[in-house]
Amino acid sequence: MSHNFQRSPGVVNLRLWENAERASNYVAHQIAELIIAQQKIGESAVLGLATGNTPKAVYQELVRLHRHDGLSFANVVSFNLDEYYPILPGDKNSYNYFMHEHLFKHIDIAPENIHIPQGNCATDAVSELCSDYEAKIAGVGGLDLQLLGIGRNGHVGFNEPGSTLDSTTRLVELHPVTRNDAQADFGSLDRVPVQAISMGMATIIQAKRILLLALGERKSEIINKAINGAITPEVPGSMLRHLPHVEYVVDREAGAGVL
Ligand code: GLP
C-alpha cells in the first residue's frame, strides 16, 4: 500500500494508490463500511452512484462482498448522477442499463430504492423530473456518499465545463470531448445523444462525503489540472478540491503528474 493523505484546510485530500485495483478496492470498502455502519444504527445508506469505465471494478468488488461476505444492500437508497437524454432505459448505452448490468441485478437492493434520471421522460416534463429528483434526495436526508469519476475535460457527472457551483439537477448539453469519448459505445458520433440529465454541482457537493476516482494514464492530464491548475468552472472537477469532505482517489498512472 502506498498512499499519501492530507486533511488540513485548504489542502487537497489526495489518496494515491499503486494501482487501479487497490484504488477501486479502497472505494468499494469505504462504501461497504458506510452501509454496515448505517445498518448497525437502523438507518439507510444513501449512495450517489456514477457510471463509466472507472467505477466498474468498484461495483465488481461490491458484488463480491455481497456474494461472499454477505454484504446486504437492503438498506441502500441510490441516486445516479446522470443519464443521457433522450434514451430508452433498456438501451444498452443507457446508464440505467449499465447500473443494472454492473451492480443492481447482482445485489439485494430494493428496486424502489433505485433512482436514475429517466432518459425517456417527455420534453415538457424534464424540468419537473429534475426538481423531483432534488426533492427525493433531500427527502431521504441527502446523499451520504457520492462516488464520482471525471471526464477528460474535467466534467463530473455531466456537469460540463462552465457548470457553476450553484447548479442543480437539470438538462445539459454535452461537450464535444464528452460526445467524442462516447462514440465508441454508440458506434458513431451522430448516435451519441446531444443532451443529458445531470445532478448539478450543488447537488453533488451537498453529499456528506465525496470520493472522486480517477484511474489510468488517460486521466493524468485532467487530474493534474483539477488538483494543481486554476479552480474554475471550466474544469468542474477542480472546484471540489478544497472541500474538506472530498477525496481524490487516484492510481499511480492517473496521479503521475500530480506530486
Ligand atoms: C461519463 C459520465 C461521468 C464519468 C465520465 C468518465 O461522461 N457521465 O460520470 O465520470 O464519463 O468516464 P470513464 O470512467 O469511462 O472515463
Side-chain angles (χ1 to χ4, degrees):
M1 179 166 58
S2 95
H3 66 266
N4 173 322
F5 188 57
Q6 296 156 321
R7 201 177 263 290
S8 330
V11 170
V12 181
N13 298 318
L14 172 66
R15 271 189 196 267
L16 197 54
W17 293 92
E18 62 199 58
N19 58 43
E21 189 186 349
R22 291 193 178 213
S24 303
N25 280 346
Y26 166 73
V27 170
H29 287 258
Q30 294 302 298
I31 294 172
E33 280 172 27
L34 169 70
I35 295 170
I36 292 165
Q38 296 295 90
Q39 278 163 4
K40 285 189 179 146
I41 57 169
E43 296 282 343
S44 10
V46 184
L47 303 180
L49 298 177
T51 51
N53 286 317
T54 309
K56 282 183 184 167
V58 173
Y59 297 146
Q60 213 173 14
E61 175 64 5
L62 287 172
V63 170
R64 194 194 66 78
L65 289 171
H66 173 66
R67 287 190 181 143
H68 300 287
D69 290 4
L71 175 66
S72 171
F73 291 75
N75 68 325
V76 169
V77 179
S78 74
F79 289 88
N80 263 79
L81 276 169
D82 49 14
E83 179 59 283
Y84 289 110
Y85 185 80
I87 203 162
L88 290 170
D91 188 303
K92 287 206 158 66
N93 290 308
S94 74
Y95 288 163
N96 183 74
Y97 185 86
F98 175 101
M99 288 309 301
H100 282 86
E101 282 304 298
H102 290 278
L103 185 64
F104 298 146
K105 77 177 193 190
H106 307 289
I107 60 175
D108 62 339
I109 188 169
E112 64 272 21
N113 287 349
I114 296 171
H115 303 90
I116 302 176
Q118 195 193 327
N120 62 342
C121 167
T123 316
D124 60 2
V126 170
S127 82
E128 196 184 332
L129 176 149
C130 293
S131 41
D132 275 4
Y133 209 66
E134 292 285 332
K136 277 184 187 146
I137 295 172
V140 292
L143 302 165
D144 291 315
L145 189 152
Q146 176 66 57
L147 172 59
L148 292 179
I150 187 166
R152 289 189 311 120
N153 60 2
H155 74 215
V156 290
F158 271 136
N159 291 284
E160 298 284 28
S163 301
T164 51
L165 277 182
D166 59 0
S167 53
T168 55
T169 303
R170 69 207 183 288
L171 189 63
V172 296
E173 307 294 314
L174 296 179
H175 189 271
V177 170
T178 303
R179 293 191 66 239
N180 220 55
D181 281 355
Q183 81 171 290
D185 294 332
F186 284 86
S188 67
L189 188 58
D190 58 303
R191 291 198 196 139
V192 182
V194 292
Q195 293 182 309
I197 296 170
S198 180
M199 277 188 200
M201 295 302 291
T203 329
I204 291 170
I205 65 176
Q206 281 169 36
K208 297 179 186 79
R209 187 177 179 203
I210 299 172
L211 300 176
L212 186 154
L213 180 63
L215 306 174
E217 194 269 326
R218 58 189 288 279
K219 294 295 168 69
S220 66
E221 194 181 329
I222 193 60
I223 278 297
N224 192 19
K225 262 198 197 167
I227 292 179
N228 294 320
I231 296 180
T232 164
E234 290 315 305
V235 182
S238 70
M239 293 194 290
L240 306 173
R241 79 169 179 243
H242 290 320
L243 302 176
H245 64 308
V246 176
E247 284 172 44
Y248 293 75
V249 182
V250 170
D251 70 356
R252 195 198 295 255
E253 287 180 359
V258 169
L259 296 178

